Amino acid sequence: MKKPLDSISNPKYLGSQVLSVQQSLILVFAHLIQNNLNDVVNFLTSTPGPQGSSAFDFVMYEWVTKQHLFSGPYDIKVSIIALTGLLEYAMTNNDVRFQTLIVPGDQIIYHQSGQSISHRTRSKTSKQPEQWTRVPLVVKLFKILVLELQNQINTRKELEEDANFNDDDDDDNDDGDDDGDNKEKDNDDINESNLLKPTDDEATKYLERYDNLLDDVFDYEFFQEKDPDAFNDPVMQVDLLDYLKERLHLFARHAWFNIFQQHLNLIERNALQKISILP
């Protein structure tokens, strides 16, 4: 354990400003955390980071401030599941390391008069210098999971609408086949079109295949050929929407939830309302 951690915690690598390098390094920690969470956290805490603080402070700060920039369904799943484990660990053990590290929460938006009007989580162009709320790491972890829940809800909705749109097209084609003088030929056409019409099971398979993707199109065959280890990882079989629903309902019963609620923005509150955690 210590040797690979020594390699990836080298300041030369941790200090990289290239997003793809940062994502790759963070994903290494995410994989290790899923199997040896306590050891990884303790090691990072005892290792100096590239900016004077501990490697734990540096890695977690970079992770939570760049999570929304990560790409790829596999990497997103690995990262979110690891962050979920970290949050559960922090709450269960009341770990002060997750409470004393302060990180950006939501970006503050100003209108022309300079008065704060709302918060947002993604950067937008503004004449004002970027200003952010400040929250403990444990709070930020919860906010990230809720935001990903909303992303997954949106993705599922788009996929269902796309599937319904395809079904409507097939129904229109079937109706057109009914308008003919040759009744026997029309019946044959209808039977043939029904064979081509997606069944409920086929629609379900369609949704399962594209479930939890942030892009409308994802080539699974290309992904399998490019990275067979990731493709065959059990993580790829996780339904991230159902996973987050289950974990967030569990976290909502914890004493920490009262603190989390104080830092939720409107988008996050709406997401929790959709899964009946908030009224």
Side-chain angles (χ1 to χ4, degrees):
M1 165 67 70
K2 190 174 187 302
K3 187 173 182 179
L5 281 175
D6 281 336
S7 299
I8 59 177
S9 60
N10 188 311
K12 177 178 66 175
Y13 301 115
L14 288 180
S16 173
Q17 297 301 310
V18 180
L19 180 60
S20 60
V21 175
Q22 292 173 329
Q23 178 174 335
S24 297
L25 286 173
I26 289 171
L27 263 293
V28 173
F29 286 112
H31 280 288
L32 293 172
I33 281 171
Q34 292 184 33
N35 298 314
N36 301 280
L37 191 155
N38 189 62
D39 290 342
V40 173
V41 170
N42 288 336
F43 175 83
L44 291 175
T45 302
S46 62
T47 302
Q51 297 179 352
S53 61
S54 70
F56 173 81
D57 287 359
F58 180 82
V59 169
M60 293 310 305
Y61 188 97
E62 293 297 311
W63 192 344
V64 300
T65 56
K66 293 183 171 63
Q67 169 64 33
H68 67 288
L69 300 175
F70 287 2
S71 61
Y74 177 72
D75 287 358
I76 290 171
K77 282 187 177 183
V78 170
S79 182
I80 289 296
I81 291 173
L83 291 175
T84 304
L86 285 168
L87 177 57
E88 184 173 11
Y89 175 88
M91 293 190 302
T92 302
N93 296 282
N94 200 27
D95 195 315
V96 296
R97 291 171 291 189
F98 292 82
Q99 302 169 30
T100 55
L101 177 58
I102 305 300
V103 299
D106 297 322
Q107 188 176 354
I108 302 172
I109 304 175
Y110 294 88
H111 57 47
Q112 291 182 352
S113 67
Q115 182 179 356
S116 173
I117 56 174
S118 63
H119 301 304
R120 61 182 172 185
T121 56
R122 296 182 186 272
S123 176
K124 294 182 180 179
T125 302
S126 173
K127 295 181 180 179
Q128 294 280 350
E130 286 189 1
Q131 296 186 32
W132 296 74
T133 60
R134 310 292 290 179
V135 298
L137 174 61
V138 63
V139 172
K140 181 67 173 183
L141 292 175
F142 186 82
K143 289 169 68 66
I144 287 175
L145 299 187
V146 176
L147 182 60
E148 185 58 36
L149 170 73
Q150 182 60 60
N151 289 338
Q152 294 299 320
I153 291 174
N154 291 343
T155 301
R156 179 70 62 85
K157 181 179 179 181
E158 291 173 2
L159 294 173
E160 290 175 345
E161 289 175 350
D162 188 33
N164 291 335
F165 178 79
N166 290 336
D167 286 345
D168 290 341
D169 282 348
D170 289 331
D171 290 340
D172 291 340
N173 291 335
D174 290 344
D175 292 340
D177 290 337
D178 289 338
D179 298 331
D181 295 330
N182 190 327
K183 188 173 183 179
E184 183 177 353
K185 183 178 182 299
D186 289 344
N187 288 335
D188 290 338
D189 290 342
I190 293 172
N191 291 334
E192 182 178 355
S193 66
N194 283 337
L195 291 175
L196 299 176
K197 181 179 178 180
T199 64
D200 290 340
D201 288 340
E202 289 170 339
T204 300
K205 291 178 181 178
Y206 173 87
L207 292 176
E208 288 177 349
R209 183 184 180 196
Y210 292 96
D211 196 19
N212 304 321
L213 303 182
L214 300 182
D215 300 316
D216 291 334
V217 177
F218 182 74
D219 191 335
Y220 264 71
E221 292 182 358
F222 176 77
F223 178 48
Q224 183 178 21
E225 180 179 348
K226 181 180 179 182
D227 195 344
D229 291 337
F231 182 85
N232 294 315
D233 190 326
V235 169
M236 278 301 294
Q237 305 305 317
V238 174
D239 184 316
L240 202 51
L241 177 56
D242 289 344
Y243 175 84
L244 287 171
K245 285 180 180 179
E246 188 271 332
R247 304 312 292 173
L248 288 170
H249 272 279
L250 177 65
F251 296 157
R253 297 195 291 269
H254 198 280
W256 268 98
F257 184 65
N258 291 328
I259 298 176
F260 296 154
Q261 286 191 77
Q262 300 172 21
H263 298 277
L264 295 174
N265 59 42
L266 182 60
I267 293 175
E268 293 159 353
R269 289 185 178 277
N270 288 339
L272 293 180
Q273 288 173 349
K274 291 176 182 177
I275 61 172
S276 303
I277 287 181
L278 290 179

